Amino acid sequence: MLKINVANEIGFCFGVDRAIKIVETLIRRGAKVYVTGDLIHNEDEMKRLKMLGLESLDLDRDWPDLSEVTVVVRAHGLPLKTLERLKNKAHTVVNATCPVVFALANSLKNAEANGFELFLYGHEGHDEVEYLKSVVKKLKVIKSYDDVEISSGKVALFSQTTMDTGRFSDIAVHFSHDVQHLSTLLVQNSICHITFEREEEVKRLARDNDVCIVVGGKKSSNTKKLFEMAKSINLNSYLILDSTEIEMKWVESARSVGICSGTSTPQRIISEIVEKLRTFKI
């Protein structure tokens, strides 16, 4: 009998759940709703929302007539120039930016106003990072301390909200070693606490089970991070979008399997995965 262990923290995080409920409410009220790009980074959930009536607005192409349309800003945020353009074109703009991301944007603006040189541990080009870069004059995005070039004596370090807490801590330590060259160092761990909790869970599940399955969208930064963590602990770790991607050979000789998810993965997909694993005659 295969033992199936599901993480305690599973399914949508608060910010994703909030964005989805905003869209669902608008559609129920009869609004014609567009979203900027992907509302969240999960292909299955975006497909479901589009079946309800949601349409995607391609920000890189000419926009259709939006004079009678409600446009929802994705959970990762939207560059301010694009947001202002939308407000001038659309009937209504509803901002579904995650409150944690919005709080980080405010922290960056406050640090800039106080004269700090700004560094962000994150992925260049990610939707969230593109939004954050738009709220300040200059934001240096780094992957490691090797990317750091300090040009002032007053430095602030932040992180994209879904990054690896361990790597962020390592970068912060390197900054602190340079503190003698700095007049002021501000380090703010802006990684969402839910992200940290899921990191701890994936480590436990990868360590305590024969197989670890990480569930989430192919574009999801936090899901990819969880998979990398799982794989570093347990080579029998797999990243899947939904139950259709499970292969029986992964678990045919296993006694236990751990399941965890990225923050934009629907609970229904987890349930489908559990049911499929239970059908395997092991």
Side-chain angles (χ1 to χ4, degrees):
M1 178 68 71
L2 179 67
K3 186 175 181 181
I4 302 170
N5 298 308
V6 180
N8 296 318
E9 287 288 340
I10 205 79
F12 295 143
C13 66
F14 163 77
V16 167
D17 187 55
R18 172 178 173 271
I20 289 170
K21 285 178 177 175
I22 286 172
V23 167
E24 289 175 334
T25 298
L26 289 167
I27 291 173
R28 279 198 305 269
R29 291 175 178 171
K32 185 175 182 180
V33 183
Y34 280 72
V35 66
T36 54
D38 289 337
L39 180 72
I40 62 171
H41 286 163
N42 185 276
E43 296 90 329
D44 273 341
E45 186 61 13
M46 285 302 299
K47 187 184 297 182
R48 183 188 75 84
L49 291 171
K50 287 178 180 179
M51 288 178 66
L52 292 178
L54 179 66
E55 296 189 47
S56 287
L57 182 63
D58 190 335
L59 298 174
D60 296 323
R61 296 186 178 181
D62 290 337
W63 296 353
D65 180 9
L66 302 175
S67 59
E68 297 183 359
V69 171
T70 296
V71 178
V72 177
V73 175
R74 61 196 176 204
H76 304 95
L78 192 66
L80 296 185
K81 286 185 178 179
T82 307
L83 180 59
E84 286 305 310
R85 184 180 168 210
L86 273 178
K87 288 178 178 178
N88 291 327
K89 296 280 187 179
H91 179 271
T92 306
V93 175
V94 179
N95 199 333
T97 301
C98 173
V100 178
V101 176
F102 189 71
L104 170 55
N106 282 333
S107 294
L108 287 169
K109 287 188 284 188
N110 289 336
E112 181 183 62
N114 283 288
F116 284 92
E117 181 180 2
L118 305 177
F119 289 88
L120 180 80
Y121 167 48
H123 295 299
E124 189 74 68
H126 187 278
D127 292 339
E128 177 185 327
V129 173
E130 291 306 296
Y131 161 58
L132 295 172
K133 286 171 66 176
S134 77
V135 304
V136 291
K137 292 178 181 177
K138 190 170 184 180
L139 180 62
K140 297 181 179 179
V141 181
I142 60 173
K143 289 184 179 179
S144 71
Y145 194 72
D146 293 337
D147 301 329
V148 173
E149 292 183 9
I150 298 173
S151 57
S152 75
K154 196 173 182 181
V155 168
L157 172 66
F158 298 85
S159 175
Q160 182 181 331
T161 61
T162 54
M163 298 300 282
D164 183 327
T165 53
R167 291 178 184 173
F168 177 77
S169 296
D170 289 342
I171 293 171
V173 167
H174 281 293
F175 268 98
S176 68
H177 288 165
D178 277 343
V179 74
Q180 66 269 26
H181 306 299
L182 304 172
S183 60
T184 309
L185 173 63
L186 169 66
V187 176
Q188 181 173 320
N189 186 347
S190 46
I191 298 172
C192 177
H193 72 91
I194 294 175
T195 295
F196 172 72
E197 290 168 3
R198 295 198 185 204
E199 286 179 14
E200 295 302 300
E201 287 220 270
V202 76
K203 292 174 187 176
R204 175 180 61 81
L205 289 167
R207 184 180 62 248
D208 296 347
N209 293 277
D210 297 323
V211 175
C212 183
I213 295 176
V214 181
V215 189
K218 305 303 183 183
K219 297 179 183 178
S220 170
S221 172
N222 76 89
T223 301
K224 290 177 184 176
K225 174 195 65 179
L226 293 177
F227 171 63
E228 289 169 1
M229 287 182 169
K231 196 76 173 179
S232 70
I233 297 170
N234 185 338
L235 291 177
N236 295 316
S237 295
Y238 304 94
L239 173 60
I240 63 173
L241 176 63
D242 55 35
S243 62
T244 65
E245 297 184 353
I246 298 175
E247 296 184 31
M248 185 175 177
K249 65 181 180 181
W250 296 347
V251 295
E252 58 188 359
S253 61
R255 294 164 299 176
S256 64
V257 56
I259 301 172
C260 61
S261 81
T263 55
S264 53
T265 303
Q267 177 64 52
R268 59 183 168 79
I269 290 180
I270 305 301
S271 300
E272 290 167 3
I273 289 168
V274 171
E275 287 306 307
K276 184 167 184 177
L277 287 170
R278 283 175 177 164
T279 65
F280 291 158
K281 299 191 180 297
I282 299 173

PDB file of all heavy atoms in Angstrom, residues 66-87:
ATOM      1  N   LEU A  66     -11.310  48.946 -25.344  1.00  0.00           N
ATOM      2  CA  LEU A  66     -11.544  48.583 -23.943  1.00  0.00           C
ATOM      3  C   LEU A  66     -12.564  49.503 -23.265  1.00  0.00           C
ATOM      4  O   LEU A  66     -12.717  49.464 -22.045  1.00  0.00           O
ATOM      5  CB  LEU A  66     -10.216  48.643 -23.163  1.00  0.00           C
ATOM      6  CG  LEU A  66      -9.083  47.748 -23.681  1.00  0.00           C
ATOM      7  CD1 LEU A  66      -7.804  48.019 -22.892  1.00  0.00           C
ATOM      8  CD2 LEU A  66      -9.460  46.275 -23.579  1.00  0.00           C
ATOM      9  N   SER A  67     -13.266  50.286 -24.062  1.00  0.00           N
ATOM     10  CA  SER A  67     -14.153  51.308 -23.495  1.00  0.00           C
ATOM     11  C   SER A  67     -15.326  50.734 -22.699  1.00  0.00           C
ATOM     12  O   SER A  67     -15.909  51.432 -21.874  1.00  0.00           O
ATOM     13  CB  SER A  67     -14.687  52.219 -24.606  1.00  0.00           C
ATOM     14  OG  SER A  67     -15.396  51.476 -25.573  1.00  0.00           O
ATOM     15  N   GLU A  68     -15.644  49.460 -22.937  1.00  0.00           N
ATOM     16  CA  GLU A  68     -16.731  48.825 -22.187  1.00  0.00           C
ATOM     17  C   GLU A  68     -16.239  47.611 -21.405  1.00  0.00           C
ATOM     18  O   GLU A  68     -17.023  46.751 -21.014  1.00  0.00           O
ATOM     19  CB  GLU A  68     -17.858  48.412 -23.148  1.00  0.00           C
ATOM     20  CG  GLU A  68     -18.510  49.593 -23.855  1.00  0.00           C
ATOM     21  CD  GLU A  68     -19.658  49.174 -24.746  1.00  0.00           C
ATOM     22  OE1 GLU A  68     -19.938  47.956 -24.823  1.00  0.00           O
ATOM     23  OE2 GLU A  68     -20.278  50.053 -25.370  1.00  0.00           O
ATOM     24  N   VAL A  69     -14.939  47.589 -21.170  1.00  0.00           N
ATOM     25  CA  VAL A  69     -14.304  46.413 -20.568  1.00  0.00           C
ATOM     26  C   VAL A  69     -13.754  46.726 -19.176  1.00  0.00           C
ATOM     27  O   VAL A  69     -13.269  47.832 -18.923  1.00  0.00           O
ATOM     28  CB  VAL A  69     -13.155  45.915 -21.480  1.00  0.00           C
ATOM     29  CG1 VAL A  69     -12.316  44.845 -20.797  1.00  0.00           C
ATOM     30  CG2 VAL A  69     -13.721  45.393 -22.792  1.00  0.00           C
ATOM     31  N   THR A  70     -13.840  45.730 -18.278  1.00  0.00           N
ATOM     32  CA  THR A  70     -13.158  45.799 -16.983  1.00  0.00           C
ATOM     33  C   THR A  70     -11.845  45.039 -17.103  1.00  0.00           C
ATOM     34  O   THR A  70     -11.839  43.863 -17.475  1.00  0.00           O
ATOM     35  CB  THR A  70     -14.011  45.164 -15.869  1.00  0.00           C
ATOM     36  OG1 THR A  70     -15.212  45.929 -15.715  1.00  0.00           O
ATOM     37  CG2 THR A  70     -13.249  45.151 -14.543  1.00  0.00           C
ATOM     38  N   VAL A  71     -10.747  45.712 -16.825  1.00  0.00           N
ATOM     39  CA  VAL A  71      -9.431  45.073 -16.897  1.00  0.00           C
ATOM     40  C   VAL A  71      -8.922  44.830 -15.478  1.00  0.00           C
ATOM     41  O   VAL A  71      -8.908  45.744 -14.649  1.00  0.00           O
ATOM     42  CB  VAL A  71      -8.422  45.937 -17.672  1.00  0.00           C
ATOM     43  CG1 VAL A  71      -7.048  45.264 -17.686  1.00  0.00           C
ATOM     44  CG2 VAL A  71      -8.902  46.161 -19.102  1.00  0.00           C
ATOM     45  N   VAL A  72      -8.518  43.597 -15.212  1.00  0.00           N
ATOM     46  CA  VAL A  72      -7.981  43.234 -13.899  1.00  0.00           C
ATOM     47  C   VAL A  72      -6.464  43.132 -13.995  1.00  0.00           C
ATOM     48  O   VAL A  72      -5.934  42.451 -14.889  1.00  0.00           O
ATOM     49  CB  VAL A  72      -8.560  41.885 -13.416  1.00  0.00           C
ATOM     50  CG1 VAL A  72      -7.932  41.476 -12.084  1.00  0.00           C
ATOM     51  CG2 VAL A  72     -10.078  41.991 -13.271  1.00  0.00           C
ATOM     52  N   VAL A  73      -5.773  43.830 -13.114  1.00  0.00           N
ATOM     53  CA  VAL A  73      -4.308  43.773 -13.059  1.00  0.00           C
ATOM     54  C   VAL A  73      -3.897  42.475 -12.387  1.00  0.00           C
ATOM     55  O   VAL A  73      -4.395  42.132 -11.319  1.00  0.00           O
ATOM     56  CB  VAL A  73      -3.744  44.973 -12.279  1.00  0.00           C
ATOM     57  CG1 VAL A  73      -2.227  44.851 -12.124  1.00  0.00           C
ATOM     58  CG2 VAL A  73      -4.113  46.270 -12.988  1.00  0.00           C
ATOM     59  N   ARG A  74      -2.988  41.750 -13.006  1.00  0.00           N
ATOM     60  CA  ARG A  74      -2.561  40.440 -12.522  1.00  0.00           C
ATOM     61  C   ARG A  74      -1.997  40.505 -11.097  1.00  0.00           C
ATOM     62  O   ARG A  74      -1.574  41.566 -10.621  1.00  0.00           O
ATOM     63  CB  ARG A  74      -1.511  39.858 -13.468  1.00  0.00           C
ATOM     64  CG  ARG A  74      -0.262  40.705 -13.568  1.00  0.00           C
ATOM     65  CD  ARG A  74       0.570  40.327 -14.773  1.00  0.00           C
ATOM     66  NE  ARG A  74       1.728  41.212 -14.896  1.00  0.00           N
ATOM     67  CZ  ARG A  74       2.367  41.443 -16.030  1.00  0.00           C
ATOM     68  NH1 ARG A  74       1.972  40.860 -17.143  1.00  0.00           N
ATOM     69  NH2 ARG A  74       3.412  42.253 -16.065  1.00  0.00           N
ATOM     70  N   ALA A  75      -1.942  39.343 -10.447  1.00  0.00           N
ATOM     71  CA  ALA A  75      -1.507  39.271  -9.048  1.00  0.00           C
ATOM     72  C   ALA A  75      -0.065  39.724  -8.852  1.00  0.00           C
ATOM     73  O   ALA A  75       0.309  40.179  -7.770  1.00  0.00           O
ATOM     74  CB  ALA A  75      -1.672  37.835  -8.524  1.00  0.00           C
ATOM     75  N   HIS A  76       0.760  39.622  -9.908  1.00  0.00           N
ATOM     76  CA  HIS A  76       2.173  39.997  -9.785  1.00  0.00           C
ATOM     77  C   HIS A  76       2.399  41.499  -9.916  1.00  0.00           C
ATOM     78  O   HIS A  76       3.507  41.980  -9.698  1.00  0.00           O
ATOM     79  CB  HIS A  76       2.988  39.278 -10.863  1.00  0.00           C
ATOM     80  CG  HIS A  76       2.837  37.797 -10.839  1.00  0.00           C
ATOM     81  ND1 HIS A  76       1.932  37.129 -11.627  1.00  0.00           N
ATOM     82  CD2 HIS A  76       3.471  36.853 -10.114  1.00  0.00           C
ATOM     83  CE1 HIS A  76       2.005  35.840 -11.387  1.00  0.00           C
ATOM     84  NE2 HIS A  76       2.926  35.634 -10.480  1.00  0.00           N
ATOM     85  N   GLY A  77       1.351  42.244 -10.293  1.00  0.00           N
ATOM     86  CA  GLY A  77       1.499  43.677 -10.490  1.00  0.00           C
ATOM     87  C   GLY A  77       1.751  44.012 -11.944  1.00  0.00           C
ATOM     88  O   GLY A  77       1.939  43.127 -12.789  1.00  0.00           O
ATOM     89  N   LEU A  78       1.775  45.303 -12.241  1.00  0.00           N
ATOM     90  CA  LEU A  78       1.909  45.779 -13.615  1.00  0.00           C
ATOM     91  C   LEU A  78       2.732  47.065 -13.609  1.00  0.00           C
ATOM     92  O   LEU A  78       2.533  47.923 -12.754  1.00  0.00           O
ATOM     93  CB  LEU A  78       0.514  46.055 -14.184  1.00  0.00           C
ATOM     94  CG  LEU A  78       0.392  46.292 -15.684  1.00  0.00           C
ATOM     95  CD1 LEU A  78       0.746  45.012 -16.454  1.00  0.00           C
ATOM     96  CD2 LEU A  78      -1.033  46.713 -16.018  1.00  0.00           C
ATOM     97  N   PRO A  79       3.684  47.215 -14.539  1.00  0.00           N
ATOM     98  CA  PRO A  79       4.462  48.461 -14.600  1.00  0.00           C
ATOM     99  C   PRO A  79       3.553  49.680 -14.616  1.00  0.00           C
ATOM    100  O   PRO A  79       2.519  49.693 -15.284  1.00  0.00           O
ATOM    101  CB  PRO A  79       5.235  48.319 -15.917  1.00  0.00           C
ATOM    102  CG  PRO A  79       5.418  46.838 -16.068  1.00  0.00           C
ATOM    103  CD  PRO A  79       4.142  46.240 -15.552  1.00  0.00           C
ATOM    104  N   LEU A  80       3.935  50.715 -13.888  1.00  0.00           N
ATOM    105  CA  LEU A  80       3.058  51.866 -13.670  1.00  0.00           C
ATOM    106  C   LEU A  80       2.675  52.580 -14.959  1.00  0.00           C
ATOM    107  O   LEU A  80       1.542  53.062 -15.084  1.00  0.00           O
ATOM    108  CB  LEU A  80       3.727  52.840 -12.699  1.00  0.00           C
ATOM    109  CG  LEU A  80       3.966  52.304 -11.284  1.00  0.00           C
ATOM    110  CD1 LEU A  80       4.510  53.409 -10.385  1.00  0.00           C
ATOM    111  CD2 LEU A  80       2.703  51.699 -10.688  1.00  0.00           C
ATOM    112  N   LYS A  81       3.584  52.664 -15.930  1.00  0.00           N
ATOM    113  CA  LYS A  81       3.246  53.327 -17.195  1.00  0.00           C
ATOM    114  C   LYS A  81       2.138  52.572 -17.919  1.00  0.00           C
ATOM    115  O   LYS A  81       1.232  53.170 -18.496  1.00  0.00           O
ATOM    116  CB  LYS A  81       4.486  53.441 -18.087  1.00  0.00           C
ATOM    117  CG  LYS A  81       5.479  54.495 -17.634  1.00  0.00           C
ATOM    118  CD  LYS A  81       6.626  54.622 -18.634  1.00  0.00           C
ATOM    119  CE  LYS A  81       7.607  55.712 -18.199  1.00  0.00           C
ATOM    120  NZ  LYS A  81       8.744  55.821 -19.149  1.00  0.00           N
ATOM    121  N   THR A  82       2.207  51.246 -17.880  1.00  0.00           N
ATOM    122  CA  THR A  82       1.175  50.429 -18.516  1.00  0.00           C
ATOM    123  C   THR A  82      -0.145  50.577 -17.770  1.00  0.00           C
ATOM    124  O   THR A  82      -1.218  50.653 -18.386  1.00  0.00           O
ATOM    125  CB  THR A  82       1.594  48.951 -18.542  1.00  0.00           C
ATOM    126  OG1 THR A  82       2.891  48.829 -19.126  1.00  0.00           O
ATOM    127  CG2 THR A  82       0.597  48.113 -19.330  1.00  0.00           C
ATOM    128  N   LEU A  83      -0.060  50.632 -16.450  1.00  0.00           N
ATOM    129  CA  LEU A  83      -1.265  50.806 -15.633  1.00  0.00           C
ATOM    130  C   LEU A  83      -1.955  52.130 -15.958  1.00  0.00           C
ATOM    131  O   LEU A  83      -3.188  52.184 -16.110  1.00  0.00           O
ATOM    132  CB  LEU A  83      -0.900  50.743 -14.151  1.00  0.00           C
ATOM    133  CG  LEU A  83      -2.047  50.916 -13.152  1.00  0.00           C
ATOM    134  CD1 LEU A  83      -3.124  49.854 -13.361  1.00  0.00           C
ATOM    135  CD2 LEU A  83      -1.517  50.871 -11.722  1.00  0.00           C
ATOM    136  N   GLU A  84      -1.182  53.199 -16.083  1.00  0.00           N
ATOM    137  CA  GLU A  84      -1.769  54.501 -16.405  1.00  0.00           C
ATOM    138  C   GLU A  84      -2.402  54.491 -17.791  1.00  0.00           C
ATOM    139  O   GLU A  84      -3.471  55.067 -18.005  1.00  0.00           O
ATOM    140  CB  GLU A  84      -0.687  55.593 -16.323  1.00  0.00           C
ATOM    141  CG  GLU A  84      -0.294  55.947 -14.905  1.00  0.00           C
ATOM    142  CD  GLU A  84      -1.482  56.343 -14.047  1.00  0.00           C
ATOM    143  OE1 GLU A  84      -2.271  57.199 -14.504  1.00  0.00           O
ATOM    144  OE2 GLU A  84      -1.645  55.784 -12.951  1.00  0.00           O
ATOM    145  N   ARG A  85      -1.743  53.820 -18.719  1.00  0.00           N
ATOM    146  CA  ARG A  85      -2.307  53.722 -20.075  1.00  0.00           C
ATOM    147  C   ARG A  85      -3.645  52.973 -20.044  1.00  0.00           C
ATOM    148  O   ARG A  85      -4.597  53.348 -20.722  1.00  0.00           O
ATOM    149  CB  ARG A  85      -1.310  53.006 -20.982  1.00  0.00           C
ATOM    150  CG  ARG A  85      -1.758  52.945 -22.440  1.00  0.00           C
ATOM    151  CD  ARG A  85      -0.736  52.226 -23.290  1.00  0.00           C
ATOM    152  NE  ARG A  85      -1.291  51.917 -24.612  1.00  0.00           N
ATOM    153  CZ  ARG A  85      -0.943  50.880 -25.337  1.00  0.00           C
ATOM    154  NH1 ARG A  85      -0.037  50.030 -24.873  1.00  0.00           N
ATOM    155  NH2 ARG A  85      -1.485  50.663 -26.520  1.00  0.00           N
ATOM    156  N   LEU A  86      -3.695  51.921 -19.253  1.00  0.00           N
ATOM    157  CA  LEU A  86      -4.936  51.150 -19.119  1.00  0.00           C
ATOM    158  C   LEU A  86      -6.063  52.006 -18.551  1.00  0.00           C
ATOM    159  O   LEU A  86      -7.209  51.932 -19.008  1.00  0.00           O
ATOM    160  CB  LEU A  86      -4.717  49.942 -18.202  1.00  0.00           C
ATOM    161  CG  LEU A  86      -4.200  48.658 -18.821  1.00  0.00           C
ATOM    162  CD1 LEU A  86      -3.997  47.605 -17.749  1.00  0.00           C
ATOM    163  CD2 LEU A  86      -5.160  48.151 -19.888  1.00  0.00           C
ATOM    164  N   LYS A  87      -5.733  52.781 -17.546  1.00  0.00           N
ATOM    165  CA  LYS A  87      -6.758  53.620 -16.918  1.00  0.00           C
ATOM    166  C   LYS A  87      -7.352  54.619 -17.909  1.00  0.00           C
ATOM    167  O   LYS A  87      -8.515  55.019 -17.767  1.00  0.00           O
ATOM    168  CB  LYS A  87      -6.162  54.350 -15.705  1.00  0.00           C
ATOM    169  CG  LYS A  87      -5.892  53.433 -14.521  1.00  0.00           C
ATOM    170  CD  LYS A  87      -5.264  54.192 -13.360  1.00  0.00           C
ATOM    171  CE  LYS A  87      -5.053  53.287 -12.160  1.00  0.00           C
ATOM    172  NZ  LYS A  87      -4.388  54.003 -11.033  1.00  0.00           N
TER     173      LYS A  87
END
